[in-house]
Amino acid sequence: MGEQLPEKMQAVVCHGPEDYRLEQVAVPVAGPGEALIKVEAVGICASDLKCYHGAAKFWGDENRPAWAETEVIPGHEFVGTVVSLDEAAAERWGIAVGDRVVSEQIVPCWECMYCKRGWYHMCAPHDLYGFKRRTPGAMAEYMVYPGEALVHKVSKEIPAHHAAFAEPLSCSLHAVERAQITFEDTVVVAGCGPIGLGMIAGAKSKNPARVIALDMAEEKLELAKRCGADLTINIATEDAVAMIKDLTDGYGADVYLEATGHPSAVPQGLNLLRKLGRFVEYGVFGSDVSVDWSIISDDKELDVLGAHLGPYCWPAAIRMIESGVLPMDEICTHQLPLSEFQRGLNLVASGKESVKVSLIPA
């Protein structure tokens, strides 16, 4: 049972690099074990933007398979309301018609080696909402959660665009978990966009000695303070490496979390870390990055860790948003109708006017 549905809906459809179109398409139908969702909000992130512009490593080159497909509805960070589902889906996920729910951005196969070992975020088929034809995304009025999806309930008491922030925040918290932060650590976060701000909040929750935020925009550094940064450094006007070494008796930071995706942030982190420090990379780069690997090995014996998606961190991210600890109104700066998706992409590309941009299909 559920609401009376229209036959058609508005949706953004990817036809190739820089060719996204607002179209009328059929409302999807939920199959056995699936759920039909009315989309309330969908965020736009850097991965969406890079895919839109057709970067080689997103559309496939000789070294990487193409994981973004055409004729797909984009959108992988979202929230919606359950419209219809069968008993199997209701029992599996513990949800009912009318519940507000998010779904993790990856839809695992649950059959590959990675899934069977609990590393579902590294699933070999790696179906992601909004990038694969099998899993259409949320830049539409309705979407389907497949039976393999991971689904979580979210409070109806918070704005929809706040609830959709669970996706980037879960990614931030996974990076923080990878860093194994301790009470005595000096933690540095590079970049105060949505992922970096979440890293700051997550790192602060670990209660280290200090959390330091780096960026080139004063307004984002101010927001970083609201998210828990003890100190901010504008790398456009200040020497971050020198300042951090001064704060740590010349040793350097214990942990460096990279959230900019800018090549210069990598050597910056290697240089400001102490010996035996921990470097966690989350940024998505548009080109290859070269560094002096002797710093990692012979000079400092660093732990260099990658981080991907937000496995096992969604419940914590949802709790953090629901708690009110984050300045969500300042993080979620723009909410646009689906018809203004191009403006939303442009805002994210600019990076100067917005922090988190969301589309509101209704």
Side-chain angles (χ1 to χ4, degrees), residues 37 40 80-83 94-101 153-154 156:
I37 307 297
E40 294 182 68
T81 302
V82 180
V83 173
I95 61 175
V97 170
D99 284 345
R100 173 183 272 180
V101 287
K153 286 198 280 191
V154 187
K156 293 183 179 181

Side-chain angles (χ1 to χ4, degrees), residues 186 188 210 212 231 233 239-254 267-275 295 300:
T186 291
V188 177
R210 59 173 73 86
I212 302 171
L231 175 69
I233 298 175
D239 186 337
V241 175
M243 291 179 69
I244 290 165
K245 288 192 173 180
D246 283 346
L247 286 167
T248 56
D249 296 325
Y251 290 106
D254 303 276
Q268 172 181 261
L270 299 179
N271 288 323
L272 63 76
L273 279 170
R274 63 161 167 81
K275 295 178 181 180
I295 300 173
K300 294 186 177 181

Side-chain angles (χ1 to χ4, degrees), residues 306-341:
H308 177 60
L309 305 187
Y312 304 107
C313 292
W314 282 71
I318 292 166
R319 288 196 303 271
M320 185 175 283
I321 293 168
E322 291 176 344
S323 74
V325 69
L326 292 171
M328 291 303 301
D329 285 330
E330 295 175 54
I331 293 171
C332 298
T333 52
H334 292 74
Q335 297 84 52
L336 307 174
L338 204 59
S339 60
E340 295 187 29
F341 73 90

Side-chain angles (χ1 to χ4, degrees), residues 231-288:
L231 175 69
T232 62
I233 298 175
N234 189 325
I235 60 170
T237 58
E238 299 173 294
D239 186 337
V241 175
M243 291 179 69
I244 290 165
K245 288 192 173 180
D246 283 346
L247 286 167
T248 56
D249 296 325
Y251 290 106
D254 303 276
V255 174
Y256 182 78
L257 298 163
E258 202 291 298
T260 70
H262 194 284
S264 67
V266 179
Q268 172 181 261
L270 299 179
N271 288 323
L272 63 76
L273 279 170
R274 63 161 167 81
K275 295 178 181 180
L276 302 174
R278 298 181 296 286
F279 185 121
V280 180
E281 180 57 64
Y282 202 95
V284 179
F285 296 93
S287 59
D288 293 343

Side-chain angles (χ1 to χ4, degrees), residues 9-23:
M9 67 176 184
Q10 280 195 325
V12 177
V13 181
C14 165
H15 290 279
E18 299 185 5
D19 186 9
Y20 285 23
R21 308 172 200 170
L22 186 66
E23 299 179 356

